[in-house]
């Protein structure tokens, strides 16, 4: 009977150690930061010749607009940067999403369209152009989404590059008619994952009876 009790108690102890060990193992997991607003908006040289007016208005969703009047032409770049991300250095960047609040003036249709929507890495326009879809902008403000939780825009990203003040987004627009494009905000969301961590658990299975002590050491 004593032997059976000892075996049963040791089995229970081992089970408790396994359960404790499992609770101290953290799997890799995905996290999201954003959407965040830019802290700077400027006009920079782009594919066109028409400058944006009040580009600094894109830093918040407040119905104050950066605008450009395009008449059968293409605009310069509206560039938004300074998103203030603090992605951990050990993270892997999985995807970047951009949300733009915008509209175009209408005549016989809006006829304002994306020419370029791209990301800025280290102050340089990098990766895929996810604009140029051929879709007319709406005549009243609405959101347009680009990228996604698993979309890296045709390049690779480190946390430091995303956290940098010169990380951002550029937008250029076009129209075949005399139209004005208005942009309220350009927001960015970053999806990333952190590495798994493992905690080692050791135990000293000394008891021979149910009343004896057991020692656990977790590191």
């Amino acid at each position: 009977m004593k032997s059976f009790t000892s075996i049963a108690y040791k089995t229970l102890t081992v089970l408790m150690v396994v359960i404790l060990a499992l609770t101290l193992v953290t799997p890799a997991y995905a996290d999201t930061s954003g959407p965040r607003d830019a802290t700077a908006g400027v006009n920079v040289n782009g594919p066109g010749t028409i400058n944006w007016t009040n580009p600094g208005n894109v830093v918040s969703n407040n119905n104050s607009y950066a605008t450009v009047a395009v008449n059968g032409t293409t605009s310069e770049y509206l560039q938004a940067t300074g998103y203030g991300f603090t992605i951990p250095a050990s993270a892997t960047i999985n995807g970047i999403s951009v949300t733009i609040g915008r509209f175009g003036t209408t005549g016989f249709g809006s006829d304002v369209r994306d020419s370029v929507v791209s990301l800025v890495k280290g102050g340089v326009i990098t990766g895929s152009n996810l604009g140029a879809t051929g879709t007319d902008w709406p005549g009243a403000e609405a959101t347009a989404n680009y990228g996604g939780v698993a979309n890296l825009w045709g390049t690779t990203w480190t946390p430091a590059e995303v956290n940098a003040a010169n990380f951002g987004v550029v937008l250029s627009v076009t129209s075949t008619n005399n139209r004005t494009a208005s942009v309220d905000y350009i927001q960015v969301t970053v999806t990333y994952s952190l590495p798994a961590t493992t905690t080692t658990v050791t135990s000293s299975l000394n008891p021979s009876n149910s009343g004896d002590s057991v020692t656990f050491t977790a590191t």
Side-chain angles (χ1 to χ4, degrees):
M1 182 66 177
K2 177 180 178 180
S3 176
F4 176 78
T5 301
S6 174
I7 293 173
Y9 188 65
K10 286 186 176 182
T11 302
L12 178 61
T13 302
V14 171
L15 180 60
M16 291 172 61
V17 172
V18 171
I19 292 173
L20 177 61
L22 289 175
T23 63
L24 294 172
V25 175
T26 303
Y29 69 93
D31 202 355
T32 298
S33 181
R36 286 177 174 262
D37 288 311
T39 58
V42 297
N43 181 89
V44 298
N45 290 334
T49 57
I50 310 300
N51 290 344
W52 289 83
T53 301
N54 298 317
N57 285 348
V58 298
V59 299
S60 64
N61 181 2
N62 63 357
N63 297 324
S64 293
Y65 300 98
T67 61
V68 64
V70 281
N71 183 10
T73 59
T74 301
S75 76
E76 300 280 32
Y77 285 129
L78 174 62
Q79 178 175 282
T81 55
Y83 284 89
F85 286 104
T86 55
I87 309 298
S90 61
T92 298
I93 306 300
N94 298 326
I96 299 174
S97 304
V98 172
T99 301
I100 302 177
R102 79 288 188 269
F103 70 95
T105 56
T106 61
F108 295 100
S110 169
D111 195 37
V112 174
R113 300 177 179 180
D114 299 332
S115 174
V116 176
V117 180
S118 292
L119 297 181
V120 178
K121 179 196 293 187
V124 178
I125 299 169
T126 305
S128 302
N129 171 17
L130 299 189
T133 61
T135 302
D136 289 348
W137 284 20
E141 184 175 337
T143 59
N145 299 300
Y146 308 83
V149 297
N151 192 324
L152 294 174
W153 299 63
T155 185
T156 58
W157 297 91
T158 66
E161 289 166 340
V162 171
N163 295 342
N166 57 5
F167 164 76
V169 182
V170 290
L171 165 69
S172 174
V173 300
T174 187
S175 176
T176 57
N177 292 294
N178 186 11
R179 302 286 187 261
T180 297
S182 298
V183 178
D184 190 359
Y185 57 89
I186 301 177
Q187 297 176 334
V188 176
T189 301
V190 176
T191 303
Y192 61 94
S193 25
L194 294 172
T197 58
T198 302
T199 300
T200 302
V201 178
T202 60
S203 66
S204 176
L205 298 179
N206 296 320
S208 57
N209 296 298
S210 60
D212 292 341
S213 63
V214 140
T215 301
F216 296 101
T217 302
T219 304

